[in-house]
Amino acid sequence: MTTRSMLGIDKDLISDTTDIRDMMYSPALVSLEPELFPEQLLLDTDSPRIAVGNQADTEYCTGFALAAIIDIQRATMLLNRAARSQQAGTSARSVHPEPWEFQPVSARMLFEMGRLISARCTGSGSHRYSIRSTLKGFYHNGVCLRKDWDDNDRVNYLTVERAKSAKQISLGAYYRLRHFLSDYHGALAESGAILVSAMLHSGWQKPPLSVSSGIIKRADETGAHAFVIIGYNQDGFLVLNSWGPDWYGPFSLDGQTRTCPGIALWRYEDWADNVIDAWVLRLAVPTPLSFEHSVGSQGRRFGYLAGGSVSQRRNSGDESPQGKDGLEVAPSRKTVLGHYVHMERGKFVQNGSYPDSRTSLKNTLNYLDRRYSNTLASVGKKPPEHIYLRIIGDSGSTKDAMHRVSSLKRRLRDRNIYPLTFIWSAELANAFAISIGACMQEAIKQIPEPSDERDDLIELAVRAIGVPLWAQMDRDAECVAKANGPLELVFARLNDILDRRHPAPAKGSGKIDLTFELAGALVFVAWMTRLGTRAIDELRHVRHIHLVMPMVESLRLARSIRSVVPDSCREAADFLSRLKLYFPTESYLKHSSIAYYQRTWFELVNNSFMPDNLGEKSREMVSLFPDEFLERVHHFWPDARYDRTGIEMTRQEDRSADLRWSLVEDRFLDGLFDDRTSSS
């Protein structure tokens, strides 16, 4: 529970840090009125067009303030449309209903989504939040109506129904205000409201307010609070608060004294002394499917290669949606929700821009169940033709991984294929990439010119942190594949769903394709080793298991497969025929060097990450030594028939130097699902 010394004042609300990535508001060169008040909203009547919020004793001030601005803009748009229709001779009733039936948005959702962001920003699980975190929560999730998520609702997470409703109301743009009086006046003239946080004092309390003729008297500071500025006069700003309609006071406008529920005058000198942050925003056009196509100012492909982190290549490290200075726009959570499982260090990521939970995963599986049961056919959601599960590795960063999730969703939508991606080590790998850069810099100081000696020195320096990292990734992979873990939860539910539609799937007719990319092969090894022979039944609806350039030791991979099919038998032949291996060619390897390290990324992992406990020969990586791995397969199952030709055909063709796996993935998917379509 947040600490307060009086109603509505919040000591967990903090100022937004200075950030050069913030887009600053620049006022337009338009004439300004000497006084401004939103008359069209009828705030001073018994039936105002937007209701005054009442956060009571909650800490939801940022949510209520942002909700008020959203409702002001929505109501203003409706009124403007009605006015245009009347001018055109159309009935205003066809534009909005009469009497006014405006549905407010959920302040609770705005606050809860912002709180998820704020815990990530503070680097801890504490709930110290700011206006920026609330705005970013709105960007990533949108907002549903209050009737879908009431302020007192005990279900305080994002359900499928709330998420779908929230796509209709999205953030278009937002700018930070400099504390110049003219900027504030210009922003009010353009947008109608400003989202503000400030230090409050006892002068804001209702009893002294009513005595002071509506003017907030200055007194000792007691804490911070978020609210909305909706107008101004010669003495100060008119603020809309969230302490209920009984909090108000008279103010002067056009030479007359006015009173409005929830509104009072904040003098300019009080503003100058106590304002903390101010932001102005604009809502997006309500076209939910279009926002997944947002790009930066230099286009979607500028700098986006999955072989390296966008944040590293552009030196941004940001998940900001604003796309400043050519940075690629980060996918909003609402465009990828339901298509990812996000874990770090073996646990669901519960805060930040892309939070996740076991409940969220269950909601996704419930949604798939409803689609397969045809209960959503009335809204155009047919049963998916196929399900594509990806367990990725070496994604570069969470932002990069989510770009691929968004791209995959778009690419497969027209084929009615439902993709679900497991992201389980993105931040760990991204942090490690930074450490590798430091190791390389030290090696360059000793040996400036490229040479085998310098590469050896880099490998030696990286090994000190590489082996512990690989051990941690192994542990994380085991958490993904553990009993009652997320992978088992997904397959238990999907098998149940598909058993009802396809009780005895014929060979090659499975509805699931399963791909393990790069270090994702560690999850495959952990999973197969744990399941053993039970994997045959667990994977009964899987058509193919794709191991794409697996970053795992040959012996470990072979042993994990042998734990599933220990003997050379019919089951072994069937399982091996479904296992597809994709190896990088010499050309692909040639172009996978990183920075000052002239050898390949695969060699760095092999030489500096792999542990020594299996012996030098046993720790050879599958992607570097595919023939050795296939010899082991032949040794374990000499009589088993498997598609050796298919394995050879799946080797990547020669590619130009600037392409990485995410870009050649297009052809991989085309071949995969064209084949599925023709064989299903």
Side-chain angles (χ1 to χ4, degrees):
M1 183 66 182
T2 189
T3 303
R4 285 185 182 79
S5 56
M6 68 179 191
L7 175 66
I9 293 184
D10 193 345
K11 293 188 176 180
D12 286 334
L13 177 62
I14 59 176
S15 63
D16 287 314
T17 56
T18 301
D19 194 326
I20 62 173
R21 298 166 296 189
D22 287 338
M23 301 285 282
M24 303 305 295
Y25 170 76
S26 295
L29 296 178
V30 296
S31 299
L32 300 177
E33 297 295 331
E35 296 179 334
L36 183 67
F37 186 75
E39 299 284 1
Q40 74 277 15
L41 299 180
L42 305 176
L43 296 172
D44 54 353
T45 66
D46 293 334
S47 301
R49 283 176 166 149
I50 63 165
V52 177
N54 189 353
Q55 69 181 86
D57 60 350
T58 70
E59 68 269 43
Y60 305 156
C61 64
T62 52
F64 272 88
L66 181 54
I69 288 187
I70 294 169
D71 285 341
I72 287 172
Q73 293 199 9
R74 292 171 62 231
T76 301
M77 284 190 290
L78 281 177
L79 292 168
N80 290 340
R81 287 170 55 194
R84 289 194 298 270
S85 297
Q86 287 179 337
Q87 291 175 357
T90 306
S91 171
R93 185 174 177 81
S94 64
V95 179
H96 68 81
E98 294 289 353
W100 187 265
E101 296 177 0
F102 185 75
Q103 291 287 340
V105 298
S106 171
R108 177 73 179 279
M109 177 174 176
L110 291 167
F111 176 78
E112 295 292 350
M113 297 301 101
R115 179 156 61 174
L116 293 175
I117 299 287
S118 67
R120 178 64 170 272
C121 294
T122 59
S124 68
S126 63
H127 299 314
R128 296 184 62 80
Y129 44 87
S130 67
I131 291 180
R132 184 195 285 118
S133 64
T134 307
L135 286 168
K136 291 187 72 173
F138 179 32
Y139 165 78
H140 277 286
N141 300 279
V143 64
C144 64
L145 299 178
R146 189 168 65 192
K147 65 183 180 64
D148 298 320
W149 195 344
D150 189 77
D151 301 336
N152 300 315
D153 200 322
R154 294 183 178 181
V155 181
N156 65 342
Y157 56 84
L158 192 61
T159 64
V160 173
E161 292 74 18
R162 289 169 176 172
K164 288 186 175 297
S165 173
K167 288 184 177 181
Q168 303 298 322
I169 305 174
S170 302
L171 178 61
Y174 62 95
Y175 299 89
R176 192 170 189 175
L177 267 68
R178 301 175 181 88
H179 298 314
F180 298 151
L181 200 58
S182 58
D183 284 11
Y184 275 61
H185 290 155
L188 286 168
E190 286 191 63
S191 67
I194 300 173
L195 183 58
V196 175
S197 63
M199 295 301 296
L200 303 194
H201 43 70
S202 58
W204 281 72
Q205 283 299 82
K206 185 170 61 176
L209 186 64
S210 61
V211 173
S212 64
S213 300
I215 299 173
I216 300 168
K217 288 187 175 181
R218 301 173 67 182
D220 295 335
E221 291 182 358
T222 56
H225 183 52
F227 50 93
V228 180
I229 297 177
I230 61 169
Y232 59 85
N233 63 15
Q234 295 182 358
D235 299 316
F237 291 114
L238 301 174
V239 299
L240 175 63
N241 208 349
S242 56
W243 294 349
D246 293 336
W247 185 94
Y248 69 95
F251 56 89
S252 174
L253 202 67
D254 293 330
Q256 299 180 354
T257 300
R258 304 275 293 273
T259 59
C260 292
I263 297 176
L265 179 68
W266 189 27
R267 287 192 177 277
Y268 288 131
E269 55 266 32
D270 196 352
W271 162 79
D273 288 343
N274 292 303
V275 66
I276 299 175
D277 293 302
W279 298 77
V280 65
L281 61 98
R282 172 184 54 76
L283 298 182
V285 176
T287 52
L289 292 180
S290 68
F291 292 102
E292 61 192 48
H293 300 291
S294 296
V295 297
S297 61
Q298 300 190 38
R300 177 174 298 282
R301 287 185 56 171
F302 177 72
Y304 177 51
L305 303 172
S309 166
V310 171
S311 55
Q312 293 168 22
R313 290 171 180 268
R314 301 179 187 175
N315 196 29
S316 72
D318 182 33
E319 293 186 7
S320 170
Q322 300 190 54
K324 185 178 180 181
D325 299 330
L327 296 180
E328 192 167 24
V329 179
S332 64
R333 185 191 181 207
K334 60 181 175 288
T335 65
V336 294
L337 189 62
H339 294 275
Y340 69 84
V341 178
H342 190 191
M343 302 182 70
E344 289 291 341
R345 304 300 292 268
K347 297 180 180 179
F348 284 102
V349 175
Q350 297 185 354
N351 49 55
S353 299
Y354 306 101
D356 198 16
S357 65
R358 193 174 184 87
T359 298
S360 180
L361 178 55
K362 287 181 178 179
N363 286 338
T364 298
L365 297 172
N366 289 339
Y367 169 73
L368 285 172
D369 193 358
R370 291 166 62 193
R371 285 188 62 175
Y372 274 108
S373 301
N374 282 314
T375 58
L376 298 179
S378 60
V379 292
K381 297 295 184 181
K382 300 184 297 183
E385 290 293 332
H386 309 291
I387 295 174
Y388 182 47
L389 299 181
R390 299 166 60 236
I391 292 83
I392 66 173
D394 186 39
S395 57
S397 72
T398 302
K399 179 180 174 181
D400 295 344
M402 291 301 175
H403 271 294
R404 294 185 62 196
V405 171
S406 178
S407 175
L408 192 67
K409 175 187 170 185
R410 291 195 310 272
R411 195 179 304 150
L412 299 181
R413 179 192 293 129
D414 292 341
R415 304 185 188 190
N416 195 24
I417 297 169
Y418 193 93
L420 181 62
T421 299
F422 282 72
I423 303 165
W424 58 282
S425 62
E427 289 306 306
L428 178 64
N430 194 46
F432 184 69
I434 297 173
S435 301
I436 290 179
C439 292
M440 289 183 178
Q441 292 296 333
E442 289 299 317
I444 293 170
K445 292 178 183 178
Q446 297 183 45
I447 307 177
E449 296 299 322
S451 64
D452 285 339
E453 289 76 11
R454 190 173 76 178
D455 286 347
D456 290 339
L457 186 60
I458 290 173
E459 289 177 0
L460 181 63
V462 170
R463 189 161 183 76
I465 53 176
V467 173
L469 168 80
W470 206 247
Q472 181 61 52
M473 292 190 72
D474 252 336
R475 290 190 291 270
D476 293 351
E478 289 173 357
C479 290
V480 177
K482 69 181 180 180
N484 202 35
L487 197 54
E488 183 173 288
L489 173 63
V490 167
F491 267 86
R493 190 65 186 278
L494 289 181
N495 283 336
D496 177 65
I497 294 169
L498 294 174
D499 282 344
R500 282 180 256 141
R501 292 181 62 88
H502 309 283
K507 182 178 179 180
S509 65
K511 294 297 181 181
I512 301 174
D513 263 88
L514 185 57
T515 295
F516 297 86
E517 299 176 7
L518 303 167
L522 294 174
V523 177
F524 174 82
V525 168
W527 195 30
M528 295 300 100
T529 302
R530 185 182 67 79
L531 288 177
T533 56
R534 292 184 293 121
I536 299 295
D537 181 63
E538 187 83 354
L539 302 177
R540 59 187 178 274
H541 289 287
V542 174
R543 178 181 183 262
H544 281 148
I545 305 167
H546 307 271
L547 296 177
V548 179
M549 296 183 285
M551 287 184 165
V552 66
E553 305 93 325
S554 295
L555 182 60
R556 288 184 65 195
L557 182 57
R559 283 176 174 173
S560 69
I561 297 172
R562 193 177 185 187
S563 68
V564 177
V565 282
D567 302 315
S568 180
C569 56
R570 182 179 61 81
E571 288 80 6
D574 175 67
F575 186 80
L576 290 173
S577 68
R578 290 191 288 159
L579 193 63
K580 304 296 180 181
L581 291 126
Y582 299 75
F583 304 126
T585 63
E586 291 298 323
S587 176
Y588 190 100
L589 291 172
K590 178 181 177 182
H591 299 304
S592 66
S593 60
I594 54 173
Y596 302 103
Y597 182 71
Q598 301 304 300
R599 296 168 188 163
T600 71
W601 168 244
F602 295 90
E603 287 176 291
L604 182 62
V605 173
N606 188 78
N607 299 338
S608 298
F609 290 33
M610 302 293 183
D612 290 322
N613 58 334
L614 294 178
E616 187 70 23
K617 190 69 175 177
S618 298
R619 65 182 177 90
E620 291 174 340
M621 186 192 299
V622 175
S623 290
L624 284 175
F625 306 99
D627 293 334
E628 284 82 346
F629 171 72
L630 294 177
E631 286 178 7
R632 292 183 187 278
V633 172
H634 183 70
H635 173 74
F636 285 148
W637 302 279
D639 300 325
R641 290 185 172 274
Y642 54 90
D643 190 0
R644 176 67 181 266
T645 304
I647 292 175
E648 293 294 340
M649 288 175 62
T650 58
R651 287 175 177 265
Q652 298 296 335
E653 299 175 6
D654 290 351
R655 302 287 179 174
S656 60
D658 63 338
L659 296 186
R660 299 294 186 267
W661 165 243
S662 69
L663 301 183
V664 299
E665 184 181 29
D666 288 342
R667 285 190 61 183
F668 165 77
L669 290 172
D670 288 340
L672 170 64
F673 290 113
D674 286 346
D675 178 54
R676 283 181 62 93
T677 302
S678 62
S679 63
S680 296

